[in-house]
Amino acid sequence: MGNLLSTWRLKEPSTVEECDSTWGSDSESDEPAAEEDNVNPANSTRARADTGDTSPQLTNSPESVPRLKRSFYAARDLYKYRHSYPNYKSRQPNEYRNLRFYLNKIPLVPEGIFIEEILSKWRGDYDKLEHNHTYIQWLFPLREQGLNFYAHELTQDEIKEFQNTREAKRRFVAAYSLMLDFYGVKLLGKTGNVVRASNWQERFQHLNESQHNYLRITRILKSLGELGYEAFKAPLVRLFLEESLCHNTIPNMQHSILEYYVYTIRLPATRRRLLRYAQQHYRPAHAFLWGPPPKWHGAEGSTAGSSGIRAPAPTPEHHSMGGESANSTSESGAVVISAHDALLYQHLAGGGLHEYMEHSSNMAALEGMLMVTSEWEEKSKCNEVVPL
């Protein structure tokens, strides 16, 4: 019996619906009443003019957009994270290297920089934070291998020890604050609440253009949950939703927020509140893919729908071609992918695939690469607050 249990593996979900428990226990008792979005065309135009967005807007006609689907690969990746990696097995000895790094006892590798130097000297050095790509795996460790293969994956024992170590937790919050400043966001005290920083205009513009940071933010959110700061996620995701959907300050982030950031949050009721807020302000409204199931499975021919098709088993062609499938094309035959996944795909196409196959504990989340974009930026001005 012992040998049987040691080799047992949880069956992984094979559709988006199986991955997403957000609406499975949907109850109006824990939700605020939906507010009508009273925005007239004049206000919408003025809001876009205020943010410098003069691009032509697509109509709300379903015929004007490609048929869209949620990414199964993104959904499965976040399912594994929210369920604490049910089939996870560490391939590295438990040396507590992440904890020792945060205790300032060992430097990050390969640069040889200690955490105290990063916290004291890197704040405000935006060029260094932008162009150095090895520190992020050390500052925000996960039970997944990142691109810096010198960084070590977290283990359950290390997570418990980290959460019980005051010095490590203090530095971790300081590291989070440092990265928020880089993104134009200010952390308010120890509650996790966030607001625009004084430099928000410059930093949001950079964030909108430098989309590899969206991958970093996914890692940061995951790491917050692993190391005891689950409550810090929702305020940041809520701020990004408002900025991208309502104020048009970071429109390119919109799809990453809805496909990734929201789904790092482990409490379904919190995800529902965020998605209902997003649904009120998403344009075009009929293309919103993340709402309750009745909205997903609309009338035949609806463009807004989740993929109920079971994902095919990965093949060698998936690894070499980035997981392209017939379901990832528009009606015109053009492939549509998100900026978030395009960056991963670009890395693989540039020769990083072999590194992932040899080292990554999360290859399944990378093999798809293809997901939909959300390029429609008809924005409305909104100030309502949805409680989290």
Side-chain angles (χ1 to χ4, degrees):
M1 178 63 74
N3 290 337
L4 179 62
L5 290 176
S6 65
T7 58
W8 179 83
R9 291 171 63 84
L10 182 70
K11 182 181 181 297
E12 292 186 356
S14 56
T15 67
V16 169
E17 289 84 357
E18 291 175 359
C19 294
D20 184 3
S21 62
T22 303
W23 306 100
S25 59
D26 190 15
S27 170
E28 294 303 322
S29 63
D30 66 358
E31 309 294 344
E35 299 178 19
E36 242 182 86
D37 194 5
N38 298 317
V39 178
N40 61 50
N43 287 342
S44 179
T45 303
R46 184 168 62 252
R48 290 176 52 240
D50 290 343
T51 57
D53 178 20
T54 58
S55 59
Q57 299 298 297
L58 298 178
T59 69
N60 283 340
S61 168
E63 288 75 18
S64 67
V65 296
R67 297 187 181 278
L68 305 177
K69 294 181 183 296
R70 285 182 58 189
S71 165
F72 166 72
Y73 301 97
R76 183 173 61 180
D77 173 59
L78 277 302
Y79 168 90
K80 291 178 180 179
Y81 166 76
R82 293 195 308 271
H83 291 80
S84 298
Y85 307 94
N87 295 324
Y88 169 81
K89 288 184 179 179
S90 176
R91 298 189 306 272
Q92 298 176 336
N94 192 354
E95 300 175 355
Y96 287 15
R97 290 179 63 84
N98 298 291
L99 177 59
R100 289 161 60 201
F101 169 70
Y102 262 100
L103 293 177
N104 211 43
K105 292 182 178 179
I106 62 171
L108 70 80
V109 183
E111 281 89 345
I113 304 170
F114 284 84
I115 181 68
E116 273 302 316
E117 180 179 348
I118 294 174
L119 297 179
S120 62
K121 296 182 179 180
W122 287 30
R123 190 177 187 92
D125 192 341
Y126 299 146
D127 285 340
K128 181 172 289 185
L129 292 169
E130 173 68 19
H131 298 297
N132 185 310
H133 297 288
T134 59
Y135 69 89
I136 199 73
Q137 288 85 19
W138 286 89
L139 287 188
F140 301 98
L142 297 174
R143 281 178 282 175
E144 305 172 14
Q145 181 63 63
L147 294 180
N148 180 355
F149 299 113
Y150 294 103
H152 277 223
E153 302 167 20
L154 279 171
T155 65
Q156 283 282 21
D157 290 340
E158 187 176 24
I159 288 172
K160 292 177 183 177
E161 194 67 27
F162 195 107
Q163 292 180 0
N164 291 324
T165 307
R166 182 176 298 180
E167 182 181 357
K169 292 173 65 177
R170 175 184 62 80
R171 289 195 175 107
F172 181 75
V173 173
Y176 179 54
S177 176
L178 177 141
M179 292 306 297
L180 289 183
D181 176 74
F182 174 53
Y183 297 135
V185 178
K186 181 179 180 180
L187 179 65
L188 300 178
K190 300 178 180 179
T191 63
N193 289 332
V194 291
V195 295
R196 288 175 171 180
S198 59
N199 61 348
W200 68 271
Q201 289 178 301
E202 170 200 344
R203 301 315 305 163
F204 283 2
Q205 180 178 351
H206 175 80
L207 188 56
N208 193 54
E209 298 167 354
S210 182
Q211 296 175 25
H212 73 91
N213 281 291
Y214 302 172
L215 301 171
R216 291 177 170 182
I217 292 170
T218 300
R219 167 174 280 270
I220 291 170
L221 289 166
K222 286 180 174 181
S223 190
L224 285 170
E226 294 284 56
L227 296 177
Y229 293 91
E230 178 72 22
F232 279 35
K233 295 178 187 177
L236 182 62
V237 176
R238 171 60 171 75
L239 176 67
F240 283 152
L241 280 173
E242 181 177 347
E243 293 296 342
S244 64
L245 293 174
C246 301
H247 304 308
N248 202 35
T249 51
I250 40 176
N252 289 336
M253 185 188 279
Q254 186 179 111
H255 206 85
S256 291
I257 302 169
L258 290 167
E259 197 80 330
Y260 288 85
Y261 303 172
V262 169
Y263 290 94
T264 67
I265 295 172
R266 291 187 167 117
L267 188 64
T270 304
R271 295 201 300 273
R272 290 197 293 271
R273 291 188 184 105
L274 289 167
L275 289 174
R276 286 200 166 106
Y277 173 81
Q279 191 169 28
Q280 291 175 24
H281 306 295
Y282 191 91
R283 299 295 180 270
H286 67 265
F288 189 81
L289 306 179
W290 303 271
K295 289 181 170 48
W296 287 353
H297 307 296
E300 185 177 353
S302 171
T303 60
S306 170
S307 172
I309 301 173
R310 291 189 175 271
T315 65
E317 287 75 17
H318 278 81
H319 295 308
S320 60
M321 298 296 291
E324 182 176 343
S325 71
N327 293 322
S328 60
T329 59
S330 68
E331 292 186 40
S332 64
V335 175
V336 286
I337 63 176
S338 74
H340 193 291
D341 282 357
L343 289 160
L344 289 174
Y345 183 77
Q346 184 179 40
H347 174 80
L348 299 185
L353 177 59
H354 295 297
E355 293 178 350
Y356 276 114
M357 293 183 69
E358 292 174 6
H359 299 283
S360 178
S361 62
N362 199 26
M363 185 63 203
L366 302 174
E367 64 200 10
M369 298 303 116
L370 297 178
M371 59 186 277
V372 299
T373 54
S374 183
E375 296 283 336
W376 305 272
E377 299 170 1
E378 180 186 348
K379 298 293 178 280
S380 61
K381 197 169 186 179
C382 54
N383 297 308
E384 62 267 43
V385 175
V386 176
L388 298 175

